[in-house]
Amino acid sequence: MTTQRQAAMQSMIEWLADERELGKEPSKIEIAGEFDLHGMHYYIFKYKKSLLGKWLLGVCGGYEHDLDTEHCGHVFSEMQPYDPATAQQEAIVMVEMIREFWMKQAAALEEGQQEANSEESQNDKRGLFNGFVLLDSHECDMEQIKRNLLQDWNISCTEAEETDRDNAKETDGTLVFEADGCMAALSFVDAPIPDGEAEHNAQANYLWKEAVEKTQTHVAQIIVAVFTRSGSPLDSGKLYAKLASSCLKLPNAVGLYSSGTVFHPGLFVDFAELMKTDNDMFPLLNLVHFGLVRTENGISGYTFGLKTFGKDEIEVLDTQASPSELRDFLIDISGYVIEQNVTLKDGETIGFSAEHKLPIVRSEGVYVEGSSLKIKF
């Protein structure tokens, strides 16, 4: 007879093996903990993509009774590093977001507002943005964040109705709410990013000389996550930039670890606030990192963040262009791909004029995981 733990393990493996997730079974997977939430039981998993890879966090559950082997559909992973000190809090955030999403979907179906393709919507991670606001003290002023959201973006997450479909729910440092057609979640974790990961990736921010030094001062974090209910990734991307900028206005916020680097809090806020004067402006520089690497044969560049829009990352290898020219090129191409919803393909060419044709090759990434599009520039 299959036990609940065995059933949860198998469900987690099957979810990860889906072609839209890992595309294969994890090389290693273990149950790392259990918790109860909203009267249901959940299992925390740690797993590895490869034998030598890092442990990553997953959650499976929604079991109503001790002997149940059928969960309620709360199976998910953002493929973020597993840290035993914060695993349960991060798992709760994922469950709360999934739970709120399906409650809203159910309400919409009852009112005849939309048709749902639930399984496909849950598994498709396009439009899921997440990052970590780094704090240099052991406190998080959620009320100030709410005030910032209301003042800066006219986003209210305090007018909750006394029903199961509240506009906002806040428990134990976790806030989940809906805005602009998206689900959003904040969760305070009184612990730093583990294994020096944020400090290591801060080195990639060549626009901020003190990035590593400032990142080293962080002792706590706010997990920020946003995903679209039914709109495009552009919708959730805009809300993520607004939410993160409101968090970064806290006096103890020292940076945002996201998109493979650590963003300067002031610059991130400045870029986000451009949306105040131009509602159609898309905050590309807040959502995609444009990396530059000096090589023996010139300079190379890469994007980190296009996958969130369902696009391949882009790399330019060993060009003789200047760093500023290469960065501007990557920004222009990425903006075109995202805002015009263009899918570049292997063997095609791209250019900004009839005479300007640059070949595209899709192959294993050099500076990014998985496949990338190599553009000769």
Side-chain angles (χ1 to χ4, degrees):
M1 180 178 176
T2 302
T3 67
Q4 188 177 94
R5 290 170 65 90
Q6 291 170 333
M9 173 75 76
Q10 187 59 37
S11 294
M12 192 79 245
I13 291 173
E14 290 175 355
W15 189 91
L16 289 168
D18 188 278
E19 63 180 7
R20 290 164 290 191
E21 307 307 331
L22 286 184
K24 63 177 183 179
E25 293 188 2
S27 295
K28 195 170 183 179
I29 184 169
E30 298 176 9
I31 292 179
E34 305 175 39
F35 64 92
D36 292 306
L37 186 67
H38 302 301
M40 306 188 83
H41 197 65
Y42 291 86
Y43 293 90
I44 300 170
F45 288 89
K46 62 178 184 178
Y47 65 92
K48 292 185 176 184
K49 295 182 181 180
S50 60
L51 288 176
L52 300 179
K54 292 182 179 180
W55 285 109
L56 305 176
L57 174 67
V59 64
C60 175
Y63 294 99
E64 293 189 69
H65 306 289
D66 292 343
L67 299 179
D68 280 352
T69 56
E70 293 293 329
H71 58 76
C72 71
H74 297 169
V75 187
F76 197 68
S77 173
E78 291 181 325
M79 301 187 186
Q80 294 293 334
Y82 168 82
D83 177 11
T86 62
Q88 181 167 321
Q89 189 74 2
E90 294 183 42
I92 288 173
V93 170
M94 289 191 285
V95 170
E96 289 283 19
M97 289 190 68
I98 297 169
R99 185 172 177 272
E100 289 295 303
F101 173 74
W102 290 121
M103 290 172 69
K104 297 295 183 181
Q105 291 287 89
L109 283 171
E110 289 173 6
E111 297 166 8
Q113 293 178 353
Q114 67 181 50
E115 296 179 359
N117 187 340
S118 61
E119 184 175 1
E120 184 172 334
S121 296
Q122 180 177 339
N123 285 332
D124 189 349
K125 294 196 298 180
R126 288 179 301 173
L128 170 61
F129 294 85
N130 67 285
F132 308 86
V133 175
L134 309 178
L135 307 174
D136 66 4
S137 62
H138 300 277
E139 58 188 357
C140 172
D141 192 341
M142 282 286 186
E143 293 304 315
Q144 183 60 56
I145 294 173
K146 291 179 185 178
R147 289 192 290 270
N148 292 344
L149 282 168
L150 186 60
Q151 179 177 334
D152 293 339
W153 309 110
N154 197 30
I155 294 175
S156 173
C157 50
T158 58
E159 298 174 358
E161 300 175 6
E162 295 181 357
T163 70
D164 284 339
R165 295 197 296 269
D166 292 344
N167 184 59
K169 294 187 178 180
E170 184 176 1
T171 56
D172 299 327
T174 297
L175 175 66
V176 181
F177 63 97
E178 181 182 8
D180 299 342
C182 303
M183 293 304 304
L186 294 176
S187 181
F188 172 61
V189 177
D190 193 6
I193 304 293
D195 302 326
E197 181 180 331
E199 290 83 352
H200 174 74
N201 285 281
Q203 298 176 64
N205 191 341
Y206 48 85
L207 297 176
W208 185 17
K209 291 182 179 180
E210 296 80 22
V212 175
E213 179 183 348
K214 294 296 291 185
T215 300
Q216 289 173 337
T217 67
H218 91 281
V219 295
Q221 57 182 291
I222 305 171
I223 303 169
V224 183
V226 175
F227 71 88
T228 179
R229 287 181 57 203
S230 57
S232 75
L234 278 71
D235 299 323
S236 50
K238 285 185 174 182
L239 179 58
Y240 172 76
K242 293 174 181 179
L243 183 54
S245 70
S246 291
C247 293
L248 287 169
K249 286 189 173 183
L250 293 177
N252 60 331
V254 297
L256 176 72
Y257 175 36
S258 182
S259 301
T261 192
V262 176
F263 290 88
H264 185 285
L267 284 178
F268 191 98
V269 170
D270 288 345
F271 285 133
E273 294 197 338
L274 293 175
M275 290 186 285
K276 291 182 178 180
T277 56
D278 183 357
N279 192 49
D280 294 327
M281 181 267 179
F282 185 71
L284 177 66
L285 297 181
N286 288 344
L287 305 174
V288 179
H289 171 56
F290 301 96
L292 298 177
V293 181
R294 181 71 66 180
T295 69
E296 292 182 359
N297 300 313
I299 189 169
S300 297
Y302 62 91
T303 65
F304 194 120
L306 294 186
K307 282 186 178 179
T308 312
F309 298 90
K311 309 297 183 182
D312 283 325
E313 303 293 356
I314 296 173
E315 294 184 290
V316 174
L317 305 178
D318 299 327
T319 178
Q320 299 304 307
S322 69
S324 60
E325 288 174 333
L326 176 54
R327 186 171 186 271
D328 288 346
F329 172 75
L330 288 172
I331 291 173
D332 289 342
I333 291 293
S334 298
Y336 168 67
V337 165
I338 293 172
E339 297 185 61
Q340 301 301 319
N341 193 23
V342 173
T343 299
L344 303 178
K345 297 179 180 179
D346 181 58
E348 294 181 341
T349 61
I350 189 170
F352 296 105
S353 68
E355 298 77 24
H356 194 225
K357 299 293 183 181
L358 305 175
I360 300 172
V361 175
R362 189 175 191 271
S363 60
E364 188 69 19
V366 176
Y367 299 103
V368 297
E369 289 187 2
S371 297
S372 70
L373 298 175
K374 316 293 188 303
I375 301 179
K376 189 171 181 61
F377 177 62

